[in-house]
Amino acid sequence: MTELIAEIPAWFPKAAEFMTFSPELAWVGTLCLIMLAPLAIGRDARMIAGLAVVGIAVTAFFTLKVMGIISTEGPKTGLTPDLAGGMLIADNLSLFFKMLLLVFLVGISILWMSVSAAQEDDAPEFFVLLIGSALGMSLMVSTHNILMMVIAIEFASLPSYAIVGFNKHKRISAEASLKYMIFGAVSAAVMLYGASLIYGFFGTLDVTQIAANVGPVLAGGGANQLLVGLAMFCVFVGIAFKISAVPFHFWCPDAFQGAKTEVTAWLSVASKAAGLLLLMRLVNVFCVNAGAEVLHGVAVVIAVIATLTCTLGNLAAYKQTSIKRMLAYSSIAHAGYMMAAAAILVDAGTVESFTAISTVLAYVVVYMLMNLGAFGVVALVESKNGDDDSITAFAGLGWTSPALAIPMLFCLVSLVGIPPFAGFITKWYLLAALGEAASGLYWALAIVIVINTLISLWYYMRVVVQMFLKESDKPAIEVPMSGTLLVNACGILLIVILVFSNPLKERADRYSAGLFSPVPTKLADQGSADSLAQSIPLDNIAAPQEGKHGG
Amino acid sequence: MNESLLTNLSILILLLPAAGALCAGALGPRHLKGNSHWPVVFGVGGAAIASYILLFQVAGAGEESSVLIELYQWFTAGGGSWFNVELLIDPLTAVMLAVVTGISTLVVIYSKEYMRHHDQPERGYERFFAFLGLFVFSMCILVLGGNFLLLYLGWEAVGLCSYLLIGFYYQKPSAAAAAKKAFLVNRIGDFGFGLGILLIYITFGCLDYATVFEAARLGMDHNVEALATLMSIDAIQASELAMTISSRLPIIALLLLCGAVGKSAQLPLYVWLPDAMEGPSPVSALIHAATMVTAGIYMMVRCGVIFASSDAVMMFIAILGAATAIFAATIALVQTDMKRILAYSTISQLGYMFLGVGCFAAGSAVFHLMTHAFFKALLFLGAGSVMHAMGGIIDVRRFGGLKRILPVTYLTMLIGSAALAGFPLLAGFWSKDEIVHAAFNQHVLLGVVGLVTAVLTAFYTFRMMFLAFWGEERVPEGVSAHESGKWILVPLGILAIGAIFSGYFGVHVHGGGFLGFLEPHGALHHFLEPVTAPFAAHAHEAHAAEIGHGFFAAIAHHWLMYLSALLSILGILVAYVWYVQRPWLPQVVRATFPKAHFVLLHKYFVDEFYDTVFVSPLRRLGRFCYQADVFLIDGIVWFITVIPRMFGQSWRTLQTGALQGYGLGMAAGLALIIVLVMMTT
């Protein structure tokens, strides 16, 4: 009997590992607390929101603490027996994104309080779904392992589907939720298929290992090349779905229009940012570990999709009559811009992915402010207009409610990317990063982005024209103070960030450097790929088992 | 110098007006209403106090009077180079700041009363003060900025404020048109200015004053070694760079000059300034007389290394200034709108400043800039006070003999006019005399033009004064004229004191001769020497050799001073004879030279000329482009959008529930990309 127990792999993480992942633990604790809270304190929306904000604050506290640890001790992995191929990672990028999500959650909660709280009966469920999807998104950015990626994407997606359909009494909401879910399911299936092919071929799901060994296979040609290329692309589909990159964007406008506006604001930033940063992490891993021949192919694929995404997003945006749909397409276009940065991986060793990640980090922060502000104003206006989300509902807003119209103006102009707003500076960094990479592909991307910016000017300005140049006999709308303050804070921050752009750039540089990157092992002689496919899994599975005894 | 104190002061100077403007703009419409002037009064006033402390700090610093304050790195230009937000504090900045914030404070105080009627604030009262505050902030950025980027930012921002304030009464079509004209004409100049800055960046690879000026100096001297050290490049590159610099500097100077010509309303881009008088009088006083229009002079003095490097460019500037001075003065002779007379006079005086810069007398130009700011702001504010009393009428033919009705306004304006006319011992006398002196040293003709303009100036100024304040007492019908209140009169009084005494900053008391006890080139010039050194280094040699002692030598040396004093009095006397003693005389003169009068009255038909040669063809081009836009571009756009619209169409049908369409799209896209992947790898 004792022998049998000894045979059972016993493993328990150390206290330090718990500390490293305390944000996630606090996050889960918050979820449980909100779920159970109705039993103790009832279903009052304000109480629940307050509880959620406290939970978020505690999580943020631990996140900051771990940031401190990371900055002295370097990136960490843990909560896994195999520390070399860790499932979860705590490094600058993942912690930065956690912090961003938490701040954004607070913003969304404030918006929700001022727009929906009054007529909401299911506050606990709403917050569980919201914070749950946030946890999933944060996990997406904290892993190098394809299995964990799949789980995290699903973790982020499932609550998102539900939260999009949260407007139970509206048909459009249910339809949006269903479409979102079916798309999500298809994408997940494709991703899983790709993951299984990769596991079958390499015998590991650790991206570092794969990146280090994929070069010769892709260069080798024949069936293996096709298989591995296809598998990698299938995994990419799952991420592209989250980013809503063309052609996996079909769900986006429908889901964004059907959902409540604060949910739209949440998904348009958080879900896309999670997908993008996951992509950036993969880019980083490939930059460090893969050879130039792989990088070029990957860069071309990303560049093509980025081009398609921003161009189609902008073109489709400009015939929209619903401002939510318009902003949904705008968010697709912005995802395209950010993806363009992900394409910067020219040659391993010569260009660090560092610039690309830094660019995206800065962009995501500003993008969050712009979208929170713009969707915030939409939500506030819509809530007083009987859920009318057409662009004409904004007519005359500049004269009746300047406190809403001016931040809206700031956010829209910033979304176009012209000074004096922060959207300009981040787009400038993006163009500068592409220019610095100095090769035909990146110049082409930069030109695409500039042309797209010109296209986008037109449809954003349609809203401005409605707000300031159209007359309206509607009375001024009375909105809660908290909502007005939130959107104005976003607007003002956009100017402040332009005037003092250096802190943003410095932080983006800091958090994009020093990412977790384990040393890969050469799996086998690449000469015989067939034997590779058969022999590797056994070796690789054996290795962690030895470790388990020690644990 | 106490650097941290200077940093704090300069930040205060920037932030106080901005905060005041923000406060007036945000709280004005709902909460402050008729009290909207308070935040701006305090903001600008605080900035003025800080500016004077800063001036004393810099003045007390002696040799080391230039400090560069790097506030923070702004944004990266890619490749590791940064654009910084940096402030340069030196004597020129200190003087400019003191002038700008000092006059601004008085104008803001004045506006409190001027911008209301029967004690009721005018429509847009808070908007007016918010814009004023914004203007002061922008002007301070322009003056304080330590690199060309901030200079450009401030340059464009003051242009924007000028546009907003000229069009303050935007319901009036003439005001809206004037604002548009000012903006567009300035665009022409600013286009060149922007190109100049771009060329600087291309040539030097950076935009900060210190590096650019040092590199320009070394490049002109062909000091290859030092240049290599400065730019951290090797000797071969440095010698190439030196060649590039010496060949490009004149081009850069000319491009920058475009901006100065537009902003400081010189020939041929002066046409916007007379129309800009559509704005409220305090705006005319502050922006279009005392401060913004002098930005061009400031910029040229600041970029002395670049401008002084080419004698041809300097000669061009001098000729341009002289031509503008006499040209605008002749137009002013026959105008009847008080503010337009002053506007042409401003153009003429700015011409003097250009002449000064062009004759390597940058210190004198800045000196004239300072004295002119006092007396011209005074005259405009006085004209505003007259306008206020006359119920908005400013045509000197429609009233007269106001000196009993508006005694304080009359007295202060008389002082201002005398200063403008160059009456001996007042501010304008000293500064103008210096410029004319420098002009004689450069070329006799330039000096003669300067003297003739001085006579004309004295004449038209006192023509205006005599017509408005002397003779039979007349007021327009239905106007109950009354002297303005203390908020208007106190600033006038302070400016009048400035108009009398500000000239003495620029002269020094001479112990020697009897008549020569006051000499030009005083404390101000000495103070500005570190900045104007590039001009002095290139100055004409005749300049240096102006020494003379003893009684007769002093007379010989000072003949110009006496001559210009005499000419000024002569001009005033002629005006007196024509408009007070023999009022029929102007009629006779007009009848004798009808054509000359006609041409002058229509301002040499320059506006008409521009209209036929530039504006109308451009309008036609615009209409053509619009038509082309409607037919061609819209057509192309329509054609291009076929794809998204087809997309949109299929979208709508799929929206009804056909999810399969989405799936199909996704599968097709997937397949396409896979094909692409296979083709590229």
Side-chain angles (χ1 to χ4, degrees):
Chain A
M1 189 64 190
T2 48
E3 282 164 11
L4 196 62
I5 291 171
E7 281 302 302
I8 297 172
W11 163 80
F12 199 75
K14 297 188 194 74
E17 285 181 43
F18 276 123
M19 190 57 225
T20 312
F21 294 95
S22 53
E24 279 87 349
L25 299 174
W27 213 311
V28 174
T30 309
L31 276 180
C32 298
L33 205 63
I34 298 173
M35 226 182 301
L36 295 174
L39 298 175
I41 60 170
R43 303 180 64 83
D44 179 56
R46 285 172 186 284
M47 295 283 284
I48 297 294
L51 191 65
V53 170
V54 170
I56 293 166
V58 171
T59 314
F61 169 75
F62 280 114
T63 310
L64 288 175
K65 229 177 146 92
V66 178
M67 270 185 179
I69 297 173
I70 296 298
S71 66
T72 54
E73 297 174 21
K76 292 190 168 202
T77 175
L79 292 188
T80 339
D82 172 21
L83 283 180
M87 282 281 186
L88 281 183
I89 296 168
D91 64 1
N92 278 332
L93 182 63
S94 71
L95 287 162
F96 168 84
F97 185 59
K98 278 195 189 81
M99 227 30 235
L100 185 79
L101 278 180
L102 293 167
V103 171
F104 191 39
L105 271 177
V106 174
I108 293 291
S109 307
I110 294 172
L111 190 58
W112 180 84
M113 284 302 289
S114 49
V115 177
S116 303
Q119 60 268 28
E120 184 62 79
D121 306 322
D122 301 320
E125 286 74 17
F126 178 81
F127 275 102
V128 167
L129 292 173
L130 184 70
I131 297 176
S133 70
L135 177 53
M137 290 164 193
S138 91
L139 291 178
M140 278 166 71
V141 185
S142 318
T143 183
H144 268 181
N145 193 296
I146 295 179
L147 180 63
M148 191 63 204
M149 278 177 206
V150 173
I151 293 172
I153 288 179
E154 286 305 296
F155 193 170
S157 296
L158 289 172
S160 302
Y161 306 148
I163 210 170
V164 164
F166 212 70
N167 239 341
K168 294 180 291 288
H169 311 297
K170 285 185 125 186
R171 191 181 161 276
I172 186 175
S173 179
E175 185 186 324
S177 172
L178 189 69
K179 281 183 179 161
Y180 190 11
M181 198 195 77
I182 291 176
F183 256 84
V186 172
S187 309
V190 173
M191 191 182 187
L192 271 171
Y193 180 63
S196 64
L197 285 181
I198 284 182
Y199 188 75
F201 194 87
F202 292 105
T204 175
L205 285 169
D206 192 286
V207 184
T208 318
Q209 310 284 348
I210 296 166
N213 292 286
V214 78
V217 183
L218 283 181
N224 283 332
Q225 184 206 29
L226 186 60
L227 182 75
V228 172
L230 193 67
M232 275 171 57
F233 188 71
C234 287
V235 172
F236 173 71
V237 167
I239 303 167
F241 161 73
K242 283 265 108 178
I243 304 175
S244 72
V246 174
F248 315 103
H249 67 289
F250 291 90
W251 61 274
C252 181
D254 288 359
F256 281 13
Q257 193 184 14
K260 283 183 182 176
T261 311
E262 60 271 28
V263 173
T264 310
W266 168 251
L267 290 178
S268 73
V269 177
S271 153
K272 285 178 197 234
L276 274 162
L277 293 185
L278 170 54
L279 183 63
M280 296 317 295
R281 194 180 276 288
L282 297 186
V283 161
N284 177 54
V285 173
F286 270 80
C287 254
V288 173
N289 295 308
E293 68 278 18
V294 184
L295 294 182
H296 185 69
V298 174
V300 168
V301 172
I302 295 177
V304 167
I305 293 183
T307 306
L308 283 177
T309 305
C310 58
T311 312
L312 236 73
N314 278 325
L315 285 180
Y318 91 62
K319 282 273 166 178
Q320 300 304 323
T321 51
S322 153
I323 192 159
K324 277 168 82 175
R325 275 188 93 81
M326 190 203 90
L327 286 175
Y329 280 112
S330 126
S331 79
I332 294 177
H334 279 272
Y337 300 149
M338 288 187 260
M339 263 186 94
I344 306 175
L345 21 66
V346 204
D347 296 302
T350 56
V351 168
E352 340 83 298
S353 50
F354 170 81
T355 327
I357 302 177
S358 156
T359 307
V360 171
L361 288 191
Y363 206 112
V364 161
V365 172
V366 171
Y367 178 64
M368 178 191 92
L369 290 172
M370 301 190 290
N371 263 25
L372 183 59
F375 276 113
V377 174
V378 173
L380 291 166
V381 172
E382 194 188 38
S383 70
K384 300 292 164 188
N385 261 346
D387 285 353
D388 179 7
D389 66 351
S390 63
I391 293 178
T392 46
F394 279 73
L397 193 75
W399 307 108
T400 56
S401 310
L404 292 179
I406 289 171
M408 185 70 175
L409 172 73
F410 288 7
C411 291
L412 290 174
V413 177
S414 181
L415 278 166
V416 183
I418 39 186
F421 300 102
F424 164 72
I425 204 87
T426 47
K427 199 166 264 175
W428 163 254
Y429 285 148
L430 178 59
L431 293 175
L434 287 169
E436 247 177 279
S439 95
L441 179 67
Y442 304 111
W443 280 112
L445 269 177
I447 291 166
V448 164
I449 289 170
V450 170
I451 292 174
N452 267 291
T453 303
L454 291 178
I455 299 176
S456 71
L457 180 68
W458 195 80
Y459 65 81
Y460 288 121
M461 284 309 121
R462 270 173 66 204
V463 184
V464 176
V465 167
Q466 285 289 340
M467 288 195 300
F468 291 97
L469 299 182
K470 290 280 191 296
E471 299 282 328
S472 164
D473 46 6
K474 274 184 235 156
I477 52 175
E478 289 293 324
V479 294
M481 197 62 187
S482 55
T484 314
L485 283 178
L486 178 75
V487 292
N488 278 290
C490 290
I492 291 166
L493 271 175
L494 287 177
I495 295 185
V496 171
I497 289 180
L498 182 92
V499 176
F500 304 99
S501 76
N502 189 27
L504 178 71
K505 178 77 176 155
E506 262 180 5
R507 277 176 183 68
D509 283 349
R510 178 158 16 114
Y511 291 124
S512 59
L515 301 189
F516 177 73
S517 116
V519 183
T521 49
K522 282 281 174 200
L523 291 181
D525 178 29
Q526 283 95 24
S528 53
D530 285 335
S531 67
L532 183 83
Q534 290 157 6
S535 65
I536 306 304
L538 296 174
D539 296 352
N540 218 40
I541 289 166
Q545 272 176 347
E546 282 163 19
K548 276 172 201 168
H549 293 293
Chain B
M1 267 192 291
N2 187 343
E3 203 161 314
S4 71
L5 175 67
L6 285 185
T7 311
N8 292 335
L9 281 175
S10 51
I11 290 173
L12 268 184
I13 292 169
L14 284 179
L15 288 190
L16 281 175
L22 208 64
C23 197
L27 301 178
R30 293 272 162 84
H31 305 286
L32 291 171
K33 295 198 176 91
N35 287 320
S36 302
H37 55 278
W38 284 119
V40 182
V41 168
F42 284 126
V44 177
I49 294 169
S51 298
Y52 283 99
I53 300 174
L54 186 125
L55 180 64
F56 285 119
Q57 284 286 321
V58 177
E63 293 292 302
E64 297 289 309
S65 57
S66 168
V67 181
L68 188 73
I69 298 168
E70 281 188 32
L71 289 184
Y72 55 88
Q73 292 187 318
W74 195 5
F75 62 90
T76 163
S81 69
W82 284 83
F83 290 118
N84 292 346
V85 172
E86 55 201 345
L87 308 177
L88 177 66
I89 293 177
D90 67 357
L92 181 61
T93 306
V95 169
M96 286 297 290
L97 276 180
V99 171
V100 169
T101 55
I103 306 258
S104 303
T105 310
L106 296 176
V107 167
V108 170
I109 291 171
Y110 174 96
S111 306
K112 186 259 171 188
E113 186 175 325
Y114 184 81
M115 294 308 285
R116 29 182 98 209
H117 293 292
H118 308 295
D119 222 32
Q120 285 302 308
E122 261 184 50
R123 182 167 177 261
Y125 189 71
E126 68 286 334
R127 183 161 53 93
F128 179 81
F129 282 98
F131 288 164
L132 269 192
L134 190 64
F135 168 76
V136 178
F137 169 68
S138 315
M139 193 70 202
C140 289
I141 288 192
L142 194 160
V143 173
L144 268 169
N147 56 37
F148 282 97
L149 194 67
L150 286 178
L151 176 72
Y152 190 72
L153 183 75
W155 192 272
E156 292 298 325
V158 291
L160 174 71
C161 293
S162 156
Y163 166 78
L164 291 171
L165 284 165
I166 295 171
F168 180 72
Y169 300 117
Y170 58 84
Q171 306 92 331
K172 241 169 68 182
S174 59
K180 208 155 68 179
K181 188 172 177 183
F183 198 77
L184 290 179
V185 172
N186 267 301
R187 213 86 329 265
I188 302 171
D190 291 0
F191 183 66
F193 188 56
L195 284 183
I197 291 177
L198 268 181
L199 193 57
I200 289 174
Y201 187 71
I202 293 170
T203 311
F204 298 96
C206 63
L207 286 178
D208 62 303
Y209 290 150
T211 322
V212 170
F213 294 155
E214 186 63 18
R217 198 176 62 77
L218 295 173
M220 287 308 289
D221 297 351
H222 281 281
N223 192 340
V224 174
E225 278 167 39
L227 192 62
T229 330
L230 179 72
M231 308 297 276
S232 35
I233 46 179
D234 61 44
I236 301 162
Q237 286 171 314
S239 75
E240 275 173 17
L241 182 64
M243 294 289 287
T244 324
I245 287 172
S246 50
S247 65
R248 277 196 191 154
L249 273 188
I251 305 171
I252 293 174
L254 281 178
L255 287 170
L256 294 179
L257 181 65
C258 283
V261 165
K263 189 114 315 197
S264 296
Q266 296 296 291
L267 279 174
L269 296 181
Y270 72 94
V271 288
W272 65 272
L273 190 62
D275 287 19
M277 298 304 132
E278 291 289 343
S281 300
V283 172
S284 310
L286 177 62
I287 301 184
H288 305 121
T291 53
M292 186 191 83
V293 287
T294 61
I297 314 319
Y298 163 78
M299 188 269 289
M300 291 195 298
V301 176
R302 169 65 73 218
C303 304
V305 181
I306 295 175
F307 282 96
S309 67
S310 159
D311 283 343
V313 172
M314 289 301 271
M315 198 52 176
F316 181 62
I317 294 172
I319 293 171
L320 197 65
T324 309
I326 192 159
F327 179 81
T330 50
I331 296 178
L333 292 177
V334 298
Q335 297 300 311
T336 52
D337 179 317
M338 214 165 167
K339 280 176 74 179
R340 293 212 176 217
I341 298 173
L342 292 174
Y344 281 106
S345 151
T346 305
I347 297 172
S348 167
Q349 298 298 310
L350 289 166
Y352 268 118
M353 295 175 214
F354 264 64
L355 179 61
V357 173
C359 298
F360 296 94
S364 309
V366 176
F367 180 31
H368 194 54
L369 185 161
M370 185 186 83
T371 57
H372 174 255
F374 281 104
F375 57 72
K376 193 51 74 63
L378 168 61
L379 284 172
F380 267 114
L381 293 184
S385 174
V386 171
M387 199 172 166
H388 204 57
M390 294 294 116
I393 291 165
I394 195 69
D395 191 328
V396 282
R397 286 171 304 186
R398 295 188 56 190
F399 48 76
L402 297 180
K403 69 179 163 184
R404 267 182 210 85
I405 306 174
L406 307 170
V408 184
T409 308
Y410 166 66
L411 193 68
T412 50
M413 276 189 84
L414 189 65
I415 295 169
S417 300
L420 171 61
F423 195 80
L425 305 184
L426 294 183
F429 171 72
W430 299 113
S431 52
K432 194 187 292 177
D433 181 56
E434 268 182 31
I435 290 178
V436 174
H437 196 264
F440 267 110
N441 280 337
Q442 185 81 350
H443 196 283
V444 180
L445 259 177
L446 291 174
V448 171
V449 170
L451 282 180
V452 173
T453 310
V455 185
L456 295 178
T457 308
F459 177 77
Y460 69 68
T461 314
F462 275 84
R463 167 179 173 267
M464 176 188 84
M465 287 305 287
F466 292 140
L467 281 177
F469 291 98
W470 288 48
E472 192 187 337
E473 195 171 299
R474 281 182 303 135
V475 291
E477 269 178 47
V479 172
S480 61
H482 54 88
E483 179 63 293
S484 308
K486 60 175 187 301
W487 286 75
I488 285 187
L489 297 182
V490 168
L492 287 181
I494 298 174
L495 285 171
I497 295 170
I500 299 173
F501 294 108
S502 64
Y504 293 93
F505 290 115
V507 291
H508 72 271
V509 181
H510 196 267
F514 162 63
L515 281 166
F517 70 102
L518 288 169
E519 287 237 8
H521 295 280
L524 185 77
H525 302 73
H526 183 64
F527 181 48
L528 286 172
E529 255 164 28
V531 185
T532 55
F535 291 99
H538 287 81
H540 207 265
E541 303 212 321
H543 250 250
E546 42 172 313
I547 315 277
H549 288 294
F551 183 73
F552 289 102
I555 290 184
H557 178 53
H558 293 255
W559 64 269
L560 195 58
M561 198 150 68
Y562 305 128
L563 182 61
S564 75
L566 276 177
L567 286 175
S568 151
I569 295 168
L570 177 75
I572 297 171
L573 278 179
V574 171
Y576 181 76
V577 171
W578 281 29
Y579 292 95
V580 180
Q581 281 199 324
R582 297 185 172 79
W584 43 266
L585 204 59
Q587 296 287 350
V588 174
V589 175
R590 207 175 299 160
T592 324
F593 307 103
K595 282 193 179 141
H597 179 257
F598 187 68
V599 168
L600 287 183
L601 197 63
H602 289 85
K603 308 150 201 163
Y604 295 101
F605 295 99
V606 171
D607 273 326
E608 286 77 3
F609 174 73
Y610 283 177
D611 213 56
T612 18
V613 177
F614 300 114
V615 180
S616 296
L618 278 176
R619 274 232 174 87
R620 277 201 290 281
L621 182 68
R623 267 199 294 278
F624 173 74
C625 287
Y626 178 72
Q627 296 297 334
D629 186 66
V630 169
F631 290 111
L632 201 70
I633 311 284
D634 282 12
I636 293 171
V637 168
W638 182 87
F639 186 72
I640 291 171
T641 54
V642 162
I643 302 157
R645 266 185 294 123
M646 273 164 53
F647 234 83
Q649 278 306 319
S650 52
W651 218 268
R652 289 217 172 87
T653 45
L654 293 169
Q655 187 75 21
T656 54
L659 196 62
Q660 294 91 328
Y662 292 9
L664 188 69
M666 185 171 145
L670 232 168
L672 242 163
I673 294 167
I674 288 172
V675 170
L676 188 98
V677 172
M678 283 168 62
M679 275 161 60
T680 51
T681 51

